[in-house]
Amino acid sequence: MKPLLPASFAPVALLGVALLGACHSERREPEQAPSSPEPADPLAFESAPNAQKMPESPALRAQVALSRRGFSPGVIDGKESAAYALALRGFQQAQGLPQTGKLDPATQQALLAGMGAATRQVVIPIAFARGPFFPDLPHDMAGQAKFDHLGYRSMSEALAERFHTTPETLQALNAPGTVLGAGRTLRVPDIPDAAPAQIPDDKTGWADTLVRLGVAADQPRADHIVVDKSDGALRAYDAQGRVIAQFPVTTGSGHDPLPIGAWKIVGEARNPDYHFNPDLFWDAKKNAKDKLLKPGPNGPVGVVWLDLSKEHYGIHGTPEPQNIGKTESHGCVRLTNWDAARLAQMVSAGTKVVFQE
């Protein structure tokens, strides 16, 4: 399958370049299509004119519906994954249905009744296409410490996070050779635009981050949250003990297990700096030094850090959403950036947190 191509790189389509020029060493801004008027909300993804319908798999439809209901499947990719089954079980439990983890007839009726299309064709906004993007951003902390922002490496990566999916899924949803750029048309999972939030003294640009992640600022308030090590799920509950959201998580490792017990959130950092202290990492190199990394979705803790009463532990985002539940952490609880952002809007300092087996 040919990759999605940024407009400025279209002449090299036949060379099989990586998505959005990730192998290039300089920052690049995609060319703008000549007829792409900027909407009232600069980051709004307007529906494409004369949009065409396409077949959608039951799993893809269910994943989009689950995400809308607050039962996150992690990345929306239409695959029968463990995170998808986990989301189905959470929804089934909330609905009083048998917890099969399957899209059985009763679940399908409760989840998909009256639902429209799970995907839509949108026009890429000029403001979104401007980036900036950082194709030369390294993956190691020493290299990242030299950057003033740990932003997205490519437009396809930014688009994938905005629509809670992966660049590979965007490829699959669109025709081979699809070109990315301002005013260009793209089929995406139907994760709606989030209205810009009014946040006084928003020094970290959190309102902009929420919009770019498709996360509404207005979320139900959580009375407490519970992280289950056994199934890799974080569940948010209201004061009446009802589940109001569920997210797949990574919960530690054999060397750094999840600290079982009752804790609470003592602080919140949105778009945080990250201080790397090698003394806190058993696997740090012997000559590793302290480093301060600037904020960004590709930083080690993504866009959110929720500090816990357990010293040095927190709940945070990740630059690798496709690995949630599949890799290990250093004891902290890791979510996709969009799930971490949503959770951050549901909790505050003092919210109770329980880690259990």
Side-chain angles (χ1 to χ4, degrees), residues 7 12 42 69 73 75 112 129 187 206 214-215 224 232 234 244 247 283 285 292:
V12 294
R69 298 286 196 101
V75 295
L112 303 181
R187 184 174 292 280
W206 183 242
V215 173
H224 62 283
L234 183 153
I244 56 175
F247 309 108
D283 54 351
K285 295 181 180 179
L292 182 66

Side-chain angles (χ1 to χ4, degrees), residues 59 74 101 165 176 183 221 224 261 266 313 348:
T165 186
R221 299 299 298 175
H224 62 283
V266 296
Y313 284 81
S348 58

Side-chain angles (χ1 to χ4, degrees), residues 40-54:
D41 179 356
L43 293 175
F45 282 78
E46 296 184 337
S47 297
N50 304 316
Q52 302 295 314
K53 294 184 178 180
M54 68 167 287

Side-chain angles (χ1 to χ4, degrees), residues 25-235:
S25 60
E26 73 278 11
R27 300 182 193 179
R28 298 290 296 275
E29 291 189 2
E31 295 175 356
Q32 296 176 7
S35 58
S36 53
E38 199 159 354
D41 179 356
L43 293 175
F45 282 78
E46 296 184 337
S47 297
N50 304 316
Q52 302 295 314
K53 294 184 178 180
M54 68 167 287
E56 298 170 344
S57 71
L60 179 64
R61 290 177 57 76
Q63 287 177 347
V64 171
L66 286 163
S67 179
R68 293 174 181 172
R69 298 286 196 101
F71 294 87
S72 173
V75 295
I76 295 172
D77 56 8
K79 297 179 180 178
E80 301 276 350
S81 64
Y84 170 47
L86 178 67
L88 283 172
R89 287 195 297 271
F91 175 78
Q92 290 164 339
Q93 181 181 18
Q95 295 292 312
L97 298 170
Q99 297 176 45
T100 64
K102 303 288 186 181
L103 190 62
D104 52 55
T107 303
Q108 189 166 354
Q109 175 62 27
L111 181 63
L112 303 181
M115 178 181 172
T119 64
R120 61 183 172 125
Q121 284 184 290
V122 298
V123 178
I124 300 174
I126 294 173
F128 195 96
R130 285 178 183 146
F133 304 114
F134 303 81
D136 53 343
L137 180 68
H139 291 270
D140 64 286
M141 291 189 188
Q144 290 184 350
K146 300 175 183 177
F147 281 69
D148 58 6
H149 181 67
L150 304 183
Y152 296 113
R153 295 180 177 87
S154 65
M155 199 198 309
S156 63
E157 184 181 42
L159 286 164
E161 291 244 318
R162 164 61 187 82
F163 293 101
H164 306 180
T165 186
T166 64
E168 293 76 16
T169 301
L170 292 180
Q171 279 186 277
L173 290 175
N174 290 274
T178 295
V179 175
L180 299 182
R184 303 286 181 170
T185 298
L186 189 71
R187 184 174 292 280
V188 296
D190 191 6
I191 300 301
D193 290 320
Q198 301 300 317
I199 302 177
D201 196 27
D202 185 14
K203 295 180 179 179
T204 67
W206 183 242
D208 182 76
T209 296
L210 289 175
V211 170
R212 291 179 183 272
L213 289 172
V215 173
D218 185 16
Q219 298 288 337
R221 299 299 298 175
D223 175 76
H224 62 283
I225 61 178
V226 176
V227 176
D228 277 294
K229 180 180 178 181
S230 60
D231 60 4
L234 183 153
R235 297 178 177 91

Side-chain angles (χ1 to χ4, degrees), residues 134-357:
F134 303 81
D136 53 343
L137 180 68
H139 291 270
D140 64 286
M141 291 189 188
Q144 290 184 350
K146 300 175 183 177
F147 281 69
D148 58 6
H149 181 67
L150 304 183
Y152 296 113
R153 295 180 177 87
S154 65
M155 199 198 309
S156 63
E157 184 181 42
L159 286 164
E161 291 244 318
R162 164 61 187 82
F163 293 101
H164 306 180
T165 186
T166 64
E168 293 76 16
T169 301
L170 292 180
Q171 279 186 277
L173 290 175
N174 290 274
T178 295
V179 175
L180 299 182
R184 303 286 181 170
T185 298
L186 189 71
R187 184 174 292 280
V188 296
D190 191 6
I191 300 301
D193 290 320
Q198 301 300 317
I199 302 177
D201 196 27
D202 185 14
K203 295 180 179 179
T204 67
W206 183 242
D208 182 76
T209 296
L210 289 175
V211 170
R212 291 179 183 272
L213 289 172
V215 173
D218 185 16
Q219 298 288 337
R221 299 299 298 175
D223 175 76
H224 62 283
I225 61 178
V226 176
V227 176
D228 277 294
K229 180 180 178 181
S230 60
D231 60 4
L234 183 153
R235 297 178 177 91
Y237 295 84
D238 65 13
Q240 287 71 46
R242 295 173 298 206
V243 178
I244 56 175
Q246 177 183 291
F247 309 108
V249 293
T250 295
T251 60
S253 65
H255 196 282
D256 296 298
L258 185 73
I260 303 302
W263 316 101
K264 65 179 179 179
I265 295 173
V266 296
E268 304 167 90
R270 293 164 168 80
N271 289 324
D273 290 329
Y274 177 78
H275 176 213
F276 171 69
N277 181 354
D279 293 338
L280 300 178
F281 292 85
W282 64 271
D283 54 351
K285 295 181 180 179
K286 292 183 179 180
N287 59 348
K289 298 180 180 179
D290 279 31
K291 297 177 183 66
L292 182 66
L293 277 63
K294 294 298 183 180
N298 268 318
V301 296
V303 300
V304 170
W305 173 267
L306 301 177
D307 200 30
L308 298 178
S309 52
K310 173 68 173 176
E311 190 176 12
H312 304 309
Y313 284 81
I315 301 171
H316 61 85
T318 179
E320 298 178 337
Q322 72 281 0
N323 289 336
I324 291 298
K326 299 177 182 178
T327 56
E328 298 182 335
S329 75
H330 286 90
C332 294
V333 175
R334 186 187 303 158
L335 304 85
T336 68
N337 277 332
W338 54 87
D339 287 343
R342 190 170 187 173
L343 177 65
Q345 295 302 110
M346 303 175 72
V347 300
S348 58
T351 300
K352 294 172 288 185
V353 179
V354 175
F355 291 164
Q356 61 189 31
E357 295 286 355

